[in-house]
Amino acid sequence: MPPPGGRPPVGGPGGPGGPRRPGGPERRPGEEPTDLLPSVHHATPREPDLLTHREDELAAEPVYDEDEYDDEDEPTETEAKAMRRKKIWRRVRRTSYVLLGLMILAPVVAFAIAYQVVEVPVPEQVAAEQNKAINILYSDGSPMTKIAPDGANRTMIKYEDLPDTVKHAVYAAEDPTFEENPGFDFTAIARAGWYQVTGRDSGGSGLTQQYVKQATKDDSPTLSRKFTEIVKAYKMSKQQDKNDILTAYLNTIYFGRSAYGIKEAAKVYFNKDLKDLTQSEAALIAGMIQNPGRSEQPKYTLERWEYVMGQLVKFHWADQSYKDTEKFPAMRPLADLDQGGIDGTRLYIKTQILNELEKIGYDMARAQQVGATIYTTIDPGMQTAAEQVIDNVMTGQPEKLTYSMSAIDPTSGAVKVYWAGKDGNGIDYQKGTLQEPGSSFKPFDFVAALQKGEGAGTTYDGSSPRSFPGRGDVSNSPGVACKVPKQCSVREAMVKSVNTVFYDMVVNNTGTQKVADAAHQAGIPDEVEVGDKKYKMLVGENGTPPDGNISIGGGLTQVRPFDMTSAYATFASRGVYHEPFFISKIVDADGTTVHQHIDKSKAAFSDDPQESQDIADNVTDVLKDIPKAQARTTCAGGRACAGKTGTQERANTAENSKAWMVGYTPTLSVGVYMGTEGGVDAIKDKGGSDIYGSGLPGMIWKQFMDRAMDGQPLEPFAKPNPIGQFEEPVITPTTTVPPKTTTPKETTTTTTPEPTTTTTEPPTKPTTTKPCNNPITCTQQPPVTSTTDPVDPIGGGGKPTR
């Protein structure tokens, strides 16, 4: 019996080997026969295996003999490439589908999220933030003027206060589909995108978007800003009635002339209530929304008025007959508006400051929102001195004379004085007019010669008259002759203003383009905007190089007076050009500086600063002899001054039409221009005598320079490093007697008026066009081809040949 609860012993009964046969040999473990395993085919079903063990249900991996398919062909390289390309394109298609889905869904999701987050601006709060004043200060920190919205205590208008004439004009100007669109116009946005691609200007924002931009003070050209603006505009359109949106917009938008809101705009433009505005007047006001900073530019305001009137007809808010019969509405004179204590010619200063404000990307609307304080470069003492000197010299002179003056610090480009006309409601005769500079342009001829290696002692034939191929005769002024006419040095020719020398120098030596390049390097811009039109400067007809008249500042050679002051400042700064500026810095209401002027300067006449300095010093060394040639232009106290006069002859006459005096000390450049409106009338003083550069302009220049520099150290000009032949050659004068008609008059140091002289009409008649009566609207002053130079007591007023 086995032990209780135990297993039978191995080999025993019931053991693995089974019972041992009686009498048989005893078997050791391992020698027993092995029982066969039971068949896998059960009579009864197997219990199901675990799901993780299903090997028996998988098809067995087929086993192939290696040589079984040896006769099969492998895919060719072309087939393999085709298969790979097919796989790649399948992946590309799948990726594209995913990206397309994201492109469709992402903006929708972003729009939905942004819609919940953004807040719609409240018009009352926006209006309150616009009521901050702008303080404009002189260079010493004293107040110049304050600009505050006249509607600082304004009453917000209601929708019922808006006449249809105003509503329709605003729709026509900015958003014709306003009453139907969802806050933005897809067509306008697409059109704006196309305009930007093709280099044209268009905002693409509807009224609601413009209101949002105005309220958020964010006009950055980014996609995120534009997206947020669209979301806010859409949300505003969903939450508010169109009437309320229009009212909020017209209560807060900027219209120019310091006017926020349509009610204030009606007052500053036409001194009327809204209900009294005509459809034409409303069209003009609405037209200013796009660019309110240009409200005082006649051509722009006319273009915008015509555009809005056309839109009114197009969308059936006005009849064609009304548009055809209506004239451009006369705006309220700017002088009638409250200018914060500034008036007269100083209004031109304010205009320049506001123009520069926009140029630096900080327009007046933004300045008012932050309560900006603008520090300018205008020196109050110098500005007052300029006004007093001009009043003293010009009292009693003919009323038709127009004149202007500016002063620039040559070491920085800071504009110290800007006196642009007799009042602030006419033409700016510093930056708003183009005039021939006459002989005051000759220093740029000399620059071109110096760049070529010729010096002040180089001689030319200064005989008069002289004939030049394709030009005819060029003559000097009666009485103007070199000591030895055939051998006239550049220095002597500059002091006496000998036309034939400079004409010869330019057309036969340096070339006219080099003179234009020298003037541009000094500070004459390549292009300027005058009266809403852009002009390429110092070019010939159809953009060709200038003709020979550029050598003596005539013909198509025209410049702005302000740019001549800037160019001469480059001589004063020893060949370093500093871009002129009016604003030194801007701080917000908290005193934080939001703009600081950065000097934009460069070596003017050469990439090598030393070479540029040498050229400027050589020019100064010649020009310093001109002011001291007569008492009316000699700086007081022996102060070192340099400069050049210029006189332009009136077409087809022996009379003068323009006169200049431009000059400088080491620390101040001053330019004076004088002419008449349109620049085509004769300029005569109260005694009936012709006005030359050394006359009234020279007197203004000298008296101002003396007062402005009074008490300042007497700084000498630097000694030049000579270029080329510096000294005049020793020449024995011949006994040739000048023609009787050109007997030279001696230079005088008295202050008597310049003598009236008679000039001979040049053989070559000027080519003329219809006289220009308004330099703001004229395309070009009458071109000229030849003149002669009348006598100038200091030799600087020689008129250019036409």
Side-chain angles (χ1 to χ4, degrees):
M1 293 291 291
R7 296 180 64 181
V10 177
R20 190 175 52 215
R21 289 177 298 177
E26 184 178 354
R27 297 184 179 183
R28 295 187 296 271
E31 295 181 351
E32 298 295 330
T34 302
D35 293 336
L36 293 175
L37 294 174
S39 173
V40 296
H41 299 286
H42 300 286
T44 58
R46 288 180 57 187
E47 293 185 1
D49 292 331
L50 293 176
L51 292 177
T52 56
H53 299 79
R54 300 174 63 92
E55 294 86 356
D56 59 315
E57 297 181 14
L58 298 176
E61 187 74 23
V63 178
Y64 302 101
D65 184 65
E66 292 182 0
D67 300 327
E68 184 177 356
Y69 293 101
D70 281 349
D71 57 340
E72 294 277 339
D73 293 332
E74 292 289 335
T76 66
E77 184 177 353
T78 302
E79 291 173 337
K81 288 182 178 180
M83 293 177 64
R84 286 195 296 270
R85 285 197 298 267
K86 187 175 181 180
K87 291 179 180 179
I88 291 172
W89 279 110
R90 183 165 60 247
R91 292 170 184 168
V92 170
R93 286 196 303 273
R94 290 174 179 174
T95 303
S96 299
Y97 296 151
V98 172
L99 292 177
L100 180 61
L102 291 175
M103 289 174 63
I104 296 173
L105 292 177
V108 174
V109 174
F111 194 96
I113 295 174
Y115 185 90
Q116 302 299 323
V117 174
V118 299
E119 296 181 358
V120 175
V122 180
E124 287 77 11
Q125 181 180 353
V126 174
E129 293 178 352
Q130 293 171 340
N131 290 338
K132 298 174 184 176
I134 300 174
N135 291 292
I136 301 179
L137 310 179
Y138 288 105
S139 59
D140 64 354
S142 60
M144 178 188 296
T145 186
K146 177 182 288 188
I147 303 175
D150 289 340
N153 298 317
R154 59 187 165 183
T155 301
M156 306 289 280
I157 63 168
K158 300 178 180 179
Y159 181 78
E160 293 75 19
D161 299 328
L162 295 173
D164 288 341
T165 53
V166 171
K167 290 185 289 186
H168 294 160
V170 174
Y171 294 161
E174 296 297 319
D175 194 353
T177 65
F178 169 74
E179 294 185 341
E180 294 83 28
N181 66 47
F184 52 88
D185 186 344
F186 283 112
T187 303
I189 294 174
R191 183 174 60 249
W194 171 249
Y195 281 172
Q196 289 184 353
V197 170
T198 56
R200 289 179 287 176
D201 185 22
S202 177
S205 298
L207 297 186
T208 313
Q209 288 175 260
Q210 291 181 41
Y211 168 71
V212 170
K213 182 167 63 176
Q214 178 87 356
T216 57
K217 310 174 190 176
D218 186 2
D219 58 356
S220 56
T222 61
L223 291 177
S224 60
R225 191 275 298 176
K226 197 71 175 178
F227 176 76
T228 304
E229 181 183 289
I230 291 174
V231 174
K232 288 185 177 182
Y234 178 77
K235 186 172 184 178
M236 189 173 186
S237 296
K238 287 295 183 181
Q239 293 182 347
Q240 297 185 24
D241 184 82
K242 288 285 186 179
N243 296 349
D244 295 334
I245 296 174
L246 177 64
T247 306
Y249 174 81
L250 292 178
N251 270 324
T252 56
I253 202 72
Y254 182 58
F255 286 88
R257 291 193 161 196
S258 303
Y260 281 93
I262 189 66
K263 184 175 181 180
E264 187 63 24
K267 178 181 177 182
V268 299
Y269 278 96
F270 299 107
N271 199 24
K272 289 185 176 182
D273 292 330
L274 284 177
K275 61 182 178 59
D276 297 325
L277 289 176
T278 67
Q279 196 165 41
S280 175
E281 291 169 339
L284 175 58
I285 293 175
M288 292 299 99
I289 294 174
Q290 186 180 91
N291 199 332
R294 301 181 66 181
S295 62
E296 307 313 307
Q297 298 179 6
K299 186 177 179 181
Y300 178 77
T301 55
L302 176 61
E303 288 177 352
R304 290 299 297 163
W305 175 78
E306 290 178 339
Y307 169 77
V308 178
M309 291 293 285
Q311 289 287 92
L312 287 170
V313 173
K314 178 180 178 180
F315 290 95
H316 309 293
W317 290 314
D319 296 329
Q320 183 66 45
S321 59
Y322 176 80
K323 178 180 180 296
D324 293 340
T325 58
E326 194 67 14
K327 294 181 179 180
F328 181 77
M331 296 190 297
R332 184 180 180 185
L334 194 61
D336 291 350
L337 304 180
D338 181 10
Q339 298 293 332
I342 190 172
D343 56 12
T345 191
R346 294 198 184 193
L347 288 174
Y348 290 121
I349 301 175
K350 177 183 173 183
T351 300
Q352 291 304 315
I353 292 167
L354 298 183
N355 288 344
E356 188 164 308
L357 201 60
E358 293 203 13
K359 180 181 177 182
I360 63 178
Y362 213 91
D363 62 18
M364 193 165 72
R366 184 178 177 190
Q368 283 187 309
Q369 289 171 341
V370 303
T373 296
I374 302 172
Y375 290 81
T376 74
T377 60
I378 299 297
D379 185 299
M382 289 188 183
Q383 185 70 30
T384 299
E387 293 167 356
Q388 293 175 347
V389 165
I390 290 174
D391 183 65
N392 177 55
V393 173
M394 298 306 298
T395 296
Q397 299 296 339
E399 281 294 319
K400 73 174 183 178
L401 292 176
T402 58
Y403 35 91
S404 65
M405 188 187 81
S406 56
I408 296 176
D409 180 352
T411 65
S412 66
V415 181
K416 311 304 287 184
V417 172
Y418 195 78
W419 199 101
K422 291 182 247 186
D423 57 62
N425 197 34
I427 299 171
D428 180 332
Y429 279 101
Q430 273 292 299
K431 282 191 172 184
T433 185
L434 294 174
Q435 305 293 346
E436 298 94 330
S439 293
S440 63
F441 208 74
K442 288 175 181 175
F444 306 122
D445 302 347
F446 187 30
V447 169
L450 289 165
Q451 289 173 328
K452 196 174 179 180
E454 295 187 358
T458 303
T459 60
Y460 286 86
D461 183 355
S463 303
S464 176
R466 285 188 62 192
S467 181
F468 294 89
R471 168 62 176 78
D473 287 345
V474 175
S475 301
N476 300 326
S477 299
V480 173
C482 297
K483 290 176 292 186
V484 180
K486 290 288 186 180
Q487 299 182 61
C488 184
S489 71
V490 174
R491 183 184 298 274
E492 183 182 7
M494 185 73 77
V495 174
K496 294 182 177 179
S497 206
V498 180
N499 288 339
T500 55
V501 166
F502 289 98
Y503 201 93
D504 187 5
M505 175 194 297
V506 172
V507 299
N508 293 326
N509 188 5
T510 65
T512 60
Q513 187 58 54
K514 291 297 184 181
V515 176
D517 293 343
H520 289 314
Q521 292 163 357
I524 305 297
D526 294 335
E527 183 178 82
V528 298
E529 185 171 343
V530 175
D532 297 334
K533 184 173 182 178
K534 292 184 178 180
Y535 294 84
K536 293 288 186 181
M537 304 299 291
L538 309 181
V539 296
E541 294 182 356
N542 302 318
T544 59
D547 61 23
N549 286 307
I550 193 173
S551 64
I552 41 185
L556 298 178
T557 304
Q558 296 185 326
V559 293
R560 300 185 304 183
F562 180 81
D563 297 328
M564 288 294 284
T565 306
S566 173
Y568 273 58
T570 302
F571 295 142
S573 64
R574 305 186 67 192
V576 178
Y577 167 74
H578 296 271
E579 182 178 314
F581 66 101
F582 286 83
I583 298 175
S584 57
K585 72 174 180 177
I586 304 172
V587 300
D588 62 18
D590 297 327
T592 303
T593 300
V594 295
H595 168 76
Q596 180 71 55
H597 173 74
I598 299 175
D599 181 28
K600 297 179 181 178
S601 60
K602 62 179 181 179
F605 305 120
S606 172
D607 292 335
D608 180 356
Q610 183 60 53
E611 184 178 350
S612 182
Q613 176 177 295
D614 291 343
I615 290 172
D617 288 348
N618 275 258
V619 172
T620 297
D621 192 68
V622 172
L623 298 186
K624 66 182 176 57
D625 292 333
I626 295 176
K628 63 185 180 183
Q630 197 194 104
R632 73 177 75 180
T633 53
T634 300
C635 290
R639 184 176 300 279
C641 293
K644 185 76 181 76
T645 56
T647 309
Q648 174 66 32
E649 188 181 71
R650 183 184 175 206
N652 300 318
T653 72
E655 299 172 316
N656 301 335
S657 62
K658 293 124 191 189
W660 302 69
M661 176 61 193
V662 192
Y664 52 94
T665 69
T667 57
L668 192 65
S669 176
V670 180
V672 180
Y673 160 78
M674 188 168 293
T676 60
E677 185 174 353
V680 295
D681 296 330
I683 52 174
K684 296 182 182 293
D685 62 20
K686 58 185 177 182
S689 300
D690 289 335
I691 297 173
Y692 296 86
S694 61
L696 296 177
M699 294 169 65
I700 292 173
W701 182 87
K702 179 259 192 307
Q703 291 186 28
F704 169 77
M705 189 68 83
D706 289 346
R707 290 190 56 174
M709 301 304 297
D710 185 32
Q712 299 298 315
L714 296 177
E715 296 185 45
F717 289 118
K719 185 177 180 180
N721 180 26
I723 296 176
Q725 184 173 334
F726 184 73
E727 299 294 341
E728 294 181 282
V730 178
I731 300 172
T732 303
T734 64
T735 57
T736 303
V737 179
K740 292 182 180 180
T741 57
T742 58
T743 303
K745 295 183 181 292
E746 294 183 358
T747 299
T748 177
T749 56
T750 66
T751 59
T752 57
E754 296 162 293
T756 303
T757 61
T758 303
T759 60
T760 303
E761 185 68 24
T764 304
K765 299 293 182 181
T767 57
T768 61
T769 59
K770 184 178 180 180
C772 172
N773 294 319
N774 192 333
I776 289 295
T777 58
C778 286
T779 302
Q780 178 66 54
Q781 298 294 331
V784 288
T785 57
S786 65
T787 79
T788 56
D789 274 357
V791 174
D792 189 327
I794 66 169
K799 293 186 279 189
T801 58
R802 298 182 182 230

